[in-house]
Amino acid sequence: MDHFLYKSGLLHAEDVPLPEIAAAVGTPFYVYSAATLERHYRLFVEALAPLPHLVCFAVKANGNLAVLKLLGDLGAGMDVVSAGEYLRARAAGVPGDRIVFSGVGKTRAEMRTALEGGIRQFNVESEAELRALSDVAAAMGATAPVAVRVNPDVDAGTHEKIATGRKGDKFGIPIGRARAVYAEAARLPGIAVTGIDVHIGSQLTALAPFEAAYRKLAELTVALRADGHDIRRLDLGGGLGIPYTRSNEAPPLPADYGAMVRRTVGHLGCEIEIEPGRLIAGNAGLLVAAVIYVKTGEDRDFLILDAAMNDLVRPSMYGAHHDIVPVAEGPPGAPTQPFDVVGPVCETGDTFARGRELPLLAEGDLVAFRSAGAYGAVMASEYNSRPLVPEVMVKGDHYAVIRRRPSFDEMLKRDTIPEWL
Ligand code: LLP
């Protein structure tokens, strides 16, 4: 459930009509609902409540400081994958002991940043990284708390580009080698083992792959404890999928996920960490755009929007579906027609949807892409020298710009022409 509903024929974000924001901010823009973010975060907390737990929001899904502050103030931890994300979480007021650091390629400089600022745990993905982290920590006179990310060889059954738990994927340590790696970790001076980590992919629409992975994790916990390791935390990763269409998708709910977590690892007495990104932010955000032109093609009509693949790359990158809805709702039974919905960028890949059935829209009309709150603004670029899209947060009947649109002047000023040119 989200808080983007039609009231008096106009799509609202909570109590604010979207045309009001469009008039003030210009299009395109992202808009997030504070109430929806909060609700989705609380669903996870409730789902895990019987167990000691920390819900760490995956900052990669939406790194805006206002979003992180909202979640951090509710008690959320953060899952970060770069020094930049770490610094964002800290700038949003999240203490280091609620931040886990994931990712296959942490640099020594990034490790230092996190150790200096305070960190709950590094999720380490290779023996090489383990040794580097030990060196960095030992040189600082510190000890790095570590969970080793294991690769359980489970197929998440999701899009090829976002499945991460199969043995050929670049992520984690093969689960069969885990005991040897933990033995090495125990010998390293700068490392303190605290737990085990797993993340098998994103946009999972079934519980079975999670369940298979978590059962393997439970077995490994028992084996590692028998080897003398202090396994206190299990980081179960993120990945729970969301419905991208209103009609035919029904991914498992956080409550079902929580019950499965209790069933598979609840008996181990570990603190449970999870790293959801998409489920918290995805359906808490829209991308709002305006129609620039309606173009009649050879055999189809194109709706040319002022948003493009650089603003929301998921359709061109993953073939992802986003529902597109008119901001002004037509009367019931109003005629529709199929449109190819495209942006102004100069490649055919800049296509959001083909043959999408929409009302008879005209120049200047507003449309909204649903489910754009996760992996939307964070993946935007300035391709075609298009300014990064602004972001707006709504809470009740008020809103604020939480990232403004840069001016062309600012964009130009970032480049330097060498004096010898
Ligand atoms: N933890 C780790 C270690 C991850 O790699 C990810 C996502 C998450 C947590 C959060 O997963 P979520 O709950 O959001 O599914 N750009 C792609 C998604 C990439 C996901 C990468 N890792 C997309 O737009 O679909």
Side-chain angles (χ1 to χ4, degrees):
M1 202 207 94
D2 60 43
H3 291 76
F4 301 110
L5 299 172
Y6 288 96
K7 297 174 196 171
S8 314
L10 287 181
L11 190 59
H12 282 54
E14 302 194 14
D15 298 326
V16 182
L18 292 177
E20 186 182 323
I21 304 177
V25 177
T27 53
F29 63 91
Y30 279 97
V31 57
Y32 310 125
S33 150
T36 312
L37 288 165
E38 174 167 351
R39 182 186 134 78
H40 290 165
Y41 167 74
R42 289 197 192 284
L43 287 178
F44 277 115
V45 170
E46 283 159 25
L48 297 178
L51 302 172
H53 66 271
L54 183 65
V55 177
C56 296
F57 177 63
V59 173
K60 65 167 76 65
N62 188 319
N64 190 288
L65 286 184
V67 171
L68 303 186
K69 172 147 173 40
L70 181 154
L71 295 169
D73 286 356
L74 295 171
M78 299 285 151
D79 166 48
V80 304
V81 293
S82 66
E85 286 191 357
Y86 174 82
L87 294 170
R88 279 187 173 274
R90 295 306 311 270
V94 180
D97 64 8
R98 277 199 259 140
I99 302 177
V100 300
F101 200 147
S102 301
V104 290
K106 303 172 199 81
T107 65
R108 285 171 164 79
E110 289 181 313
M111 293 168 178
R112 262 190 298 275
T113 300
L115 283 167
E116 274 161 12
I119 188 84
R120 177 183 180 84
Q121 126 201 347
F122 290 91
N123 291 335
V124 169
E125 302 226 13
S126 63
E127 285 104 321
E129 183 194 339
L130 196 60
R131 288 175 211 132
L133 180 58
S134 177
D135 287 351
V136 170
M140 293 170 66
T143 315
V146 160
V148 174
R149 175 168 175 183
V150 293
N151 182 325
D153 192 20
V154 167
D155 189 345
T158 183
H159 190 282
E160 169 63 24
K161 288 188 185 170
I162 53 175
T164 55
R166 303 159 302 182
K167 67 177 178 230
D169 297 327
K170 70 178 175 181
F171 299 97
I173 282 172
I175 196 159
R177 274 219 322 271
R179 288 175 75 180
V181 173
Y182 274 88
E184 174 165 12
R187 286 192 297 270
L188 289 170
I191 301 293
V193 166
T194 59
I196 320 177
D197 170 46
V198 73
H199 170 79
I200 59 171
S202 193
Q203 185 55 17
L204 272 73
T205 51
L207 287 182
F210 286 119
E211 182 151 2
Y214 298 170
R215 289 202 186 282
K216 290 188 180 190
L217 216 61
E219 276 173 32
L220 181 62
T221 305
V222 174
L224 291 177
R225 283 178 170 167
D227 290 346
H229 302 289
D230 181 16
I231 305 298
R232 280 169 283 145
R233 293 182 189 151
L234 295 180
D235 183 335
L236 303 178
L240 195 56
I242 61 170
Y244 274 96
T245 58
R246 300 256 128 177
S247 42
N248 53 9
E249 273 178 288
L253 300 172
D256 304 329
Y257 173 84
M260 182 274 295
V261 167
R262 295 201 292 282
R263 212 162 53 231
T264 49
V265 297
H267 58 290
L268 296 165
C270 287
E271 182 174 9
I272 302 301
E273 297 161 337
I274 56 168
E275 303 169 349
R278 193 189 310 264
L279 200 140
I280 292 179
N283 278 324
L286 306 176
L287 172 64
V288 179
V291 176
I292 305 180
Y293 299 117
V294 180
K295 173 171 170 172
T296 307
E298 177 69 25
D299 58 353
R300 63 193 64 213
D301 286 347
F302 295 95
L303 208 56
I304 303 177
L305 304 181
D306 61 2
M309 63 187 287
N310 69 296
D311 305 312
L312 177 67
V313 76
R314 302 192 69 260
S316 51
M317 192 155 174
Y318 312 112
H321 172 100
H322 285 262
D323 276 354
I324 303 169
V325 294
V327 166
E329 193 180 35
T336 63
Q337 72 154 95
F339 283 107
D340 278 17
V341 185
V342 302
V345 162
C346 302
E347 50 183 290
T348 303
D350 185 24
T351 298
F352 290 117
R354 289 202 183 277
R356 189 69 66 85
E357 207 57 47
L358 285 166
L360 312 180
L361 292 158
E363 285 182 34
D365 285 348
L366 297 174
V367 297
F369 290 79
R370 290 195 187 270
S371 315
Y375 307 110
V378 282
M379 293 180 78
S381 76
E382 289 180 350
Y383 186 37
N384 279 209
S385 275
R386 293 166 48 83
L388 283 182
V389 194
E391 295 170 273
V392 174
M393 183 181 278
V394 173
K395 187 176 165 77
D397 61 3
H398 55 282
Y399 70 89
V401 175
I402 58 172
R403 175 181 287 176
R404 63 180 176 77
R405 197 188 310 274
S407 68
F408 287 114
D409 215 33
E410 283 172 89
M411 289 168 67
L412 295 181
K413 276 198 183 121
R414 290 201 312 254
D415 294 9
T416 308
I417 298 176
E419 57 190 35
W420 42 261
L421 255 194

